[in-house]
Each structure stands twice: as C-alpha cells, then as structure tokens.
C-alpha cells in the first residue's frame, strides 16, 4: 500500500462512474526492459470531459522466467498521485512461492485476493476483469501488445 492510495470508500465511489479511454496510442517498450509494454491514457467522464484520473497498463513477458505479468491501474492525479484501482496478475509456469504472487486487486488502500484461476488468464480475460471493475470503455478496443500485428504502410 502506498500512503497516497485513495481510501477504499472513495475509490469505490470513483469506480461507480462510467469512463472512456480514447486516443491511448500504441503499446510502447523501453530500452531498459524490451520485454515490457506500457500504455497510459487520461479518462473522460460520461460527458466527454477530462477527469482527474488516468489509466496505466503494464504487460511483461519474461523470456527467461516465462512469467507473464499484468498490472492494470487507475490512478488519481491530484492532490497527490494515488492508486484508485489496480489488478495485478502473474501467470507463472510453476507453483506460487509467496503471497504477493497470488493474483489480487487493490481498491484504493484495500487489497483483495483474487481467484486462483486468474493465474491462468490471458490478456483478454485480464482486460475484461479490469473493464468490469472500473467501468472503462476503451475506444477503439484495446488490443494485446503480445499479438503480432502488421503495421499499416
């Protein structure tokens, strides 16, 4: 838990509203971690106005450990950056060694363990859970950074 995380009741109230995420751009890698993909986007409310919230999405597939790590978050910009919601799932090729590797959600400061079956999910299932919990519609639909796509010429 981060001290800037939103209190659980405030997080639940924020997540009850409907949001859209538009113009989020391409999934990007970094030189530091070419196996990791990130995308972020500010959220719009039901009237299309900017909110104080944004989405950060992270997907990493380690070629060495064969672990796929999903971390999808809704963050608040002000007064201090703070986590409103986070879904974190690690798909492991082996038995879990510690409790933090168990799939879980953060609703503000509250940590909620996930179902063990989540550890077998792919991108589409993780995204579906995230959308269900956060009421966010991605326009256009958000595709997996792990899918091979030809770029338009």
């Amino acid at each position: 838990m981060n001290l800037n995380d939103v209190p659980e009741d405030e997080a639940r109230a924020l997540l009850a509203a409907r949001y859209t995420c538009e113009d989020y751009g391409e999934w990007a890698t970094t030189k530091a971690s070419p196996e990791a993909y990130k995308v972020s986007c500010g959220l719009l409310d039901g009237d299309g106005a900017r909110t104080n919230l944004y989405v950060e999405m992270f997907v990493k597939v380690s070629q060495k450990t064969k672990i796929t790590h999903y971390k999808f978050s809704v963050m608040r910009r002000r007064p201090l950056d703070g986590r409103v919601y986070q879904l974190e799932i690690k798909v492991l090729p082996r038995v879990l060694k510690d409790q933090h590797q168990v799939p879980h959600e953060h609703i503000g400061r509250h940590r909620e363990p996930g179902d063990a079956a989540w550890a077998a999910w792919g991108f589409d299932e993780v995204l579906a859970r995230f959308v269900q919990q956060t009421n966010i519609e991605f326009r256009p639909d958000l595709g997996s950074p792990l899918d091979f796509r030809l770029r338009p010429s």
Side-chain angles (χ1 to χ4, degrees):
M1 176 179 76
N2 182 325
L3 293 177
N4 295 335
D5 287 351
V6 174
E8 181 184 0
D9 58 341
E10 183 181 346
R12 288 188 186 280
L14 287 168
L15 296 172
R18 292 206 153 304
Y19 301 101
T20 58
C21 183
E22 301 175 359
D23 301 321
Y24 46 80
E26 296 284 322
W27 287 93
T29 60
T30 63
K31 288 182 182 178
S33 185
E35 300 172 323
Y37 300 87
K38 293 182 180 183
V39 68
S40 63
C41 179
L43 294 179
L44 304 175
D45 67 15
D47 296 326
R50 289 184 179 174
T51 67
N52 213 13
L53 303 173
Y54 63 99
V55 169
E56 285 185 342
M57 304 183 88
F58 170 87
V59 178
K60 181 178 180 181
V61 180
S62 172
Q63 298 302 316
K64 182 178 177 182
T65 64
K66 306 300 183 208
I67 295 171
T68 302
H69 184 190
Y70 299 98
K71 190 183 329 183
F72 293 180
S73 308
V74 175
M75 305 294 288
R76 179 181 65 188
R77 289 192 198 282
R78 291 178 196 77
L80 297 170
D81 281 358
R83 180 172 51 194
V84 175
Y85 176 83
Q86 187 172 77
L87 175 61
E88 187 166 4
I89 296 175
K90 290 183 181 177
V91 180
L92 306 166
R94 64 190 182 299
V95 176
L96 299 173
K97 289 188 176 179
D98 70 51
Q99 200 59 27
H100 201 74
Q101 290 181 333
V102 173
H104 61 278
E105 298 172 293
H106 293 272
I107 303 165
R109 294 182 184 140
H110 175 71
R111 184 181 194 273
E112 183 75 29
D115 189 293
W118 296 4
W121 282 356
F123 178 86
D124 291 339
E125 293 88 359
V126 176
L127 181 62
R129 175 69 182 190
F130 181 76
V131 166
Q132 174 191 8
Q133 295 295 94
T134 61
N135 287 309
I136 297 171
E137 178 185 353
F138 288 88
R139 294 182 193 161
D141 289 343
L142 182 66
S144 171
L146 307 177
D147 291 343
F148 176 75
R149 283 173 269 173
L150 293 175
R151 294 181 184 224
S153 47

